[in-house]
Amino acid sequence: VPFGPLQSTMKVLLSVLFVTLGCVALAHAMPVEEAAAGTNWAVLVAGSRTYMNYRHQSDVYHAYQILHKHGVADDHIIMMHYDDIAESSENPNKGSVINHVGGPNNYPGVLKDYTGEAATPANFLAVLTGESSQTSGGNGRVLGSKSTDKVFVYFADHGGPGIVCLPSGSGCDELTADKLNGALTTMQQKGMFGELVFYMEACESGSMFDGLLKDNLNIYVTTAANPSESSYACYYDSDLGTYLGDTYSVNWMEDTDKEDVNTETLLTQYGIVKKLTTQSHVMQYGQLAMDAEKVGRYVGSAGAVAARDDGRRDAPADQVSSRDVRLHTFRNRARDAATAAERAHWQSELAAEHTRRNRVVERFHTIAVEAAGYERADRMIGARQSVQNWTCYDNVRAHFKAACHGFDEFTLGQLHTLVNLCEEATVGEAAVHAAIQFVCPHADAQ
């Protein structure tokens, strides 16, 4: 029987209804989190170089293996590292980089987007903000994330008040807190993420976000240390003659290796890492409500398994301040020396390191005295102020770096003196420059 106009209209309406109900049923069959999750992207950065700093690149290689295992595609992971330890002349196991004693080789497959002198602050910021035209060296890959995507950023290196280092140039090419937070704000304004999680391993890493990161950007951060303390290295390997990892970093990664990332929350992981990182204060910044989300939403959810251990965790037993790694390494190498001549060599290196550190302390004490006078010098050395006068701090830090032969991890720990001098209203930037000029031309003769 042919359909009339009314019957045809009813048939169309019923068809639409069935299709709609089918779509609703399908949507309810899918987990809500998965439907809204978007795509995973990641940026992994090791900001140091040389075999003495083995642990930073080792940490980042381990992080890559975690993301790779959990299904984050290589074309959505961007890596920045100097790439000088796997084949280092000091590495007895060429082509191998491990993150704990007796651990697996994490080097195979790591991406080499920005290596060597291409591992720069400018390239890191360009990667974050999706500006390929602003990169130099490397392969030009940058984040291509969208407003529904999850972005994970992990950074491991040395730091100081308001700065972290990248390995180009002198070995500490500084990235400042104001520029990093500016880039994160730009990412949010450009719609480059739904949510972003940032894990940072560095001394004084809290100073990169404390009082600077807004809490309404859908960004969640944890750091290895508060704004005024060192982070810690661990897992010294006598066969390799170096520290293999950093405490905060190995704690979050070993926890991720052991847990079901699709059930563990960021808050649960933070609590575990904070408990096990016993020598520094692991901190949270940004939009803390995000810590209710699952770890797997950021490191990838594929291949997740039920927790594979009994829940017990032990803090690494051999944690040492990152500022003191050179001292401990030389002492350990002297202890493990096979011959008297080798032992004497490392004892000599240890003595020279003590002398060098004493010279650095003397330089900053003299700068404080020359700039602020004897009466205020101790306060300029001992206080821990946050950076407000970025112009002064950037200028005097650059002057010190050029005149006094650059930075190392111990010198970075003294930069709070420059911060304090810049924040002292009655000192002035000119006085700090004059003090640096007075001290450093005579430093080598001291």
Side-chain angles (χ1 to χ4, degrees), residues 280-291:
S280 64
H281 298 83
V282 177
M283 305 297 290
Q284 289 177 304
Y285 298 99
Q287 193 158 326
L288 302 189
M290 284 174 56
D291 65 12

Side-chain angles (χ1 to χ4, degrees), residues 347-366:
Q347 288 172 339
S348 176
E349 290 290 318
L350 178 61
E353 177 64 14
H354 277 296
T355 299
R356 188 191 65 81
R357 288 160 66 105
N358 289 337
R359 185 179 297 121
V360 170
V361 171
E362 290 172 4
R363 288 179 183 177
F364 279 95
H365 181 267
T366 304

Side-chain angles (χ1 to χ4, degrees), residues 174-190:
E174 306 107 278
L175 170 63
T176 59
D178 58 335
K179 290 182 179 178
L180 175 59
N181 282 274
L184 295 175
T185 299
T186 296
M187 293 176 70
Q188 192 271 342
Q189 293 170 344
K190 293 174 68 173

Side-chain angles (χ1 to χ4, degrees), residues 242-358:
T242 193
Y243 284 90
L244 305 181
D246 292 284
T247 304
Y248 159 87
S249 292
V250 300
N251 284 337
W252 82 255
M253 288 187 284
E254 291 179 4
D255 175 71
T256 304
D257 285 333
K258 294 173 181 177
E259 294 283 355
D260 180 350
V261 296
N262 290 330
T263 61
E264 184 182 37
T265 66
L266 293 169
L267 178 61
T268 299
Q269 181 165 92
Y270 169 74
I272 291 170
V273 174
K274 185 174 182 178
K275 180 180 178 180
L276 296 180
T277 308
T278 56
Q279 302 303 306
S280 64
H281 298 83
V282 177
M283 305 297 290
Q284 289 177 304
Y285 298 99
Q287 193 158 326
L288 302 189
M290 284 174 56
D291 65 12
E293 295 192 26
K294 304 300 188 294
V295 173
R297 295 193 72 183
Y298 298 93
V299 302
S301 59
V305 296
R308 291 168 290 163
D309 67 323
D310 58 10
R312 291 179 296 178
R313 302 285 196 280
D314 295 314
D318 61 345
Q319 301 176 57
V320 301
S321 168
S322 293
R323 308 288 192 210
D324 298 333
V325 161
R326 292 177 67 85
L327 287 177
H328 287 280
T329 298
F330 293 148
R331 188 176 294 119
N332 291 339
R333 289 178 180 180
R335 178 200 64 199
D336 299 333
T339 66
E342 185 181 355
R343 183 174 301 108
H345 168 74
W346 293 119
Q347 288 172 339
S348 176
E349 290 290 318
L350 178 61
E353 177 64 14
H354 277 296
T355 299
R356 188 191 65 81
R357 288 160 66 105
N358 289 337

